[in-house]
Amino acid sequence: EEKDFLEKRLILENHMKIAVYGYGILGRRLIRELEGSQIERKYYIDRNALKIQADIPVFMDTEDLPEVDVIIVTVVSQFCEIKSMLNKKVKYLVVNIEDLL
């Protein structure tokens, strides 16, 4: 049910290509929940990207970030700082995971 709700919400808002900021438990779960859905899971963004091996690319937040419809931030406690930093870098929408659930 959670997967269907999230997928439908992202489709409704025309967020078909996503990136996820944060490779923690919440970020990995989000990517896993959307496996097999219509949502294209493009990449993770994480400050420890060089230490991470994942099934999709992982970029550091200092790198050029490929275009997506939305970046979903899963580091809830630092959302404002992360959003501010990303908005200076990209033109893509940046949202808090809490706003989608």
Side-chain angles (χ1 to χ4, degrees), residues 35-72:
E35 273 182 12
S37 75
Q38 296 179 55
I39 306 303
E40 236 183 295
R41 306 161 309 126
K42 299 299 274 184
Y43 58 89
Y44 287 105
I45 306 164
D46 196 281
R47 291 180 182 148
N48 296 312
L50 297 176
K51 299 177 183 177
I52 297 171
Q53 292 186 1
D55 60 337
I56 61 175
V58 184
F59 293 90
M60 294 184 67
D61 55 15
T62 55
E63 294 182 86
D64 289 337
L65 302 172
E67 186 175 347
V68 291
D69 298 323
V70 65
I71 297 174
I72 302 170

Side-chain angles (χ1 to χ4, degrees), residues 5-57:
F5 171 79
L6 187 56
E7 180 182 9
K8 286 176 185 173
R9 175 89 189 261
L10 290 167
I11 291 169
L12 182 66
E13 295 182 14
N14 203 30
H15 301 322
M16 301 303 291
K17 293 187 267 184
I18 67 164
V20 174
Y21 189 105
Y23 188 76
I25 293 169
L26 202 50
R28 291 190 314 268
R29 179 162 182 205
L30 174 60
I31 290 292
R32 204 169 44 249
E33 290 290 326
L34 293 170
E35 273 182 12
S37 75
Q38 296 179 55
I39 306 303
E40 236 183 295
R41 306 161 309 126
K42 299 299 274 184
Y43 58 89
Y44 287 105
I45 306 164
D46 196 281
R47 291 180 182 148
N48 296 312
L50 297 176
K51 299 177 183 177
I52 297 171
Q53 292 186 1
D55 60 337
I56 61 175

